[in-house]
């Protein structure tokens, strides 16, 4: 009986988590306000926003992880999402 409840909860929760993630091809818009609103609606906290080399670069965090999200300034589509790995400098 418990297995059935766990399975039901997993099928309800997992798709919601997948929808929160931003992926290449997603449309976020071309203005800072649009991009910020769409990311925040998905659970991200925007920490930095800049336009560089014709692309919009957004740094954001979600669930304790930092992401760099590149957005096309022409059509507002996500070009790339990188998980910012802050453990680059480990002690030997």
């Amino acid at each position: 009986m418990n297995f059935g409840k766990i399975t039901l909860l997993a099928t309800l929760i997992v798709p919601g988590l997948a929808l929160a993630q931003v992926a290449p091809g997603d449309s976020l818009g071309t203005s800072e306000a649009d991009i910020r609103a769409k990311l925040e609606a998905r659970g991200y906290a925007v920490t930095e926003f800049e336009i560089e080399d014709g692309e919009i670069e957004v740094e954001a965090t979600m669930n304790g992880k930092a992401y760099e999200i590149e957005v096309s300034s022409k059509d507002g589509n996500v070009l790339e999402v990188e998980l910012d790995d802050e453990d680059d400098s480990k002690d030997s």
Side-chain angles (χ1 to χ4, degrees), residues 29-92:
T30 56
S31 73
E32 181 176 357
D34 287 344
I35 293 169
R36 186 178 295 273
K38 288 186 180 178
L39 287 174
E40 289 174 352
R42 292 185 183 200
Y44 289 88
V46 176
T47 58
E48 191 173 323
F49 188 97
E50 70 179 53
I51 298 173
E52 186 175 290
D53 298 330
E55 293 178 355
I56 301 166
E57 295 180 7
V58 183
E59 292 185 18
T61 60
M62 183 169 70
N63 298 328
K65 296 183 180 180
Y67 296 88
E68 183 175 305
I69 304 164
E70 292 183 17
V71 180
S72 168
S73 60
K74 294 178 184 176
D75 60 15
N77 289 333
V78 175
L79 301 172
E80 185 177 359
V81 179
E82 290 183 20
L83 180 60
D84 189 9
D85 187 8
E86 294 182 10
D87 291 338
D88 290 339
S89 57
K90 292 184 180 179
D91 295 335
S92 311

